[in-house]
Amino acid sequence: MTDPTQPLSRMEPILPLLARFLFAAVLLPYYWASAMTKTGAGLLGVFSPSLGAYAQIFPRQMEAAGYDASQLGLLQWAVVVAGTLAEFILPALIVLGLLTRLSALAMIGFVTVQTLTDLYGHGGIAHAETLGAWFDRAPDGLILDQRGLWFLLLMLLVVKGGGALSLDALLFRNAVSAHPADRRPAPAAPRPRRS
């Protein structure tokens, strides 16, 4: 008897493309808009972060400093610049399908830090509507529902890569990792004849 789901398994190769399309449609504009709020004026504004950038990433330290970013140190500046650059670069890499697995894994780390900042830095953990709840029939919880789906989408890209229509496939098509070794067992060596 044949597997009735066999025709559906032929759709598996398009999953990475669909995941990247969904990321482009939903999360790329979100992250790029967020990054734009963190940049200063001019072409190199990413290296002179806005006051809002510090307030978003270091809310408690900014409050303690009276919202004077000059009271924060080089470490905070470096974290804000790196976070802003990550919001521009990682989504672009995912959409292009370039270094997809690594970019998606880095994006998972980014979303984890973002989530912890939202929960503990901005006090979202104290608000049930921000945290949300699973199995509650309401799919709009900011943290548990939305971020859970984001993690699943990104994990699919970590596992599957960028897919056939990606820069990874174009640039690395001859790489050994792009063509895993044949999984069939090697043929048995002929047995020596006894005389």
Side-chain angles (χ1 to χ4, degrees):
M1 182 170 194
T2 61
D3 182 2
T5 63
Q6 186 64 29
L8 294 176
S9 67
R10 291 187 198 124
M11 293 180 61
E12 186 177 347
I14 67 167
L15 286 178
L17 178 63
L18 292 175
R20 289 180 23 242
F21 174 79
L22 186 62
F23 185 92
V26 176
L27 294 175
L28 177 80
Y30 167 79
Y31 279 109
W32 280 5
S34 174
M36 290 302 292
T37 67
K38 295 177 178 77
T39 60
L43 186 60
L44 298 176
V46 71
F47 298 106
S48 57
S50 68
L51 183 63
Y54 289 99
Q56 288 176 47
I57 296 173
F58 295 106
R60 293 188 180 187
Q61 288 179 314
M62 280 297 287
E63 185 177 359
Y67 295 96
D68 180 8
S70 66
Q71 292 187 24
L72 300 180
L74 182 61
L75 176 65
Q76 287 85 1
W77 174 86
V79 168
V80 169
V81 169
T84 304
L85 286 170
E87 281 187 303
F88 281 121
I89 295 169
L90 292 175
L93 290 174
I94 288 171
V95 170
L96 294 171
L98 181 60
L99 305 173
T100 309
R101 286 186 167 100
L102 183 62
S103 300
L105 191 59
M107 200 73 212
I108 288 171
F110 186 92
V111 173
T112 300
V113 171
Q114 174 190 5
T115 300
L116 292 172
T117 301
D118 288 344
L119 290 175
Y120 297 103
H122 294 286
I125 194 77
H127 303 284
E129 64 278 0
T130 300
L131 181 60
W134 284 343
F135 310 106
D136 64 351
R137 298 182 304 161
D140 59 350
L142 179 63
I143 302 298
L144 289 177
D145 295 331
Q146 289 180 13
R147 306 274 167 90
L149 290 171
W150 295 3
F151 281 124
L152 179 63
L153 175 71
L154 292 166
M155 278 306 299
L156 183 129
L157 293 171
V158 168
V159 172
K160 292 289 204 181
L165 292 175
S166 66
L167 288 178
D168 287 341
L170 180 68
L171 297 173
F172 306 117
R173 69 175 155 230
N174 293 326
V176 174
S177 63
H179 304 285
D182 194 355
R183 290 195 167 84
R184 289 180 288 172
R191 290 186 176 177
R193 292 187 176 179
R194 294 184 192 198
S195 0

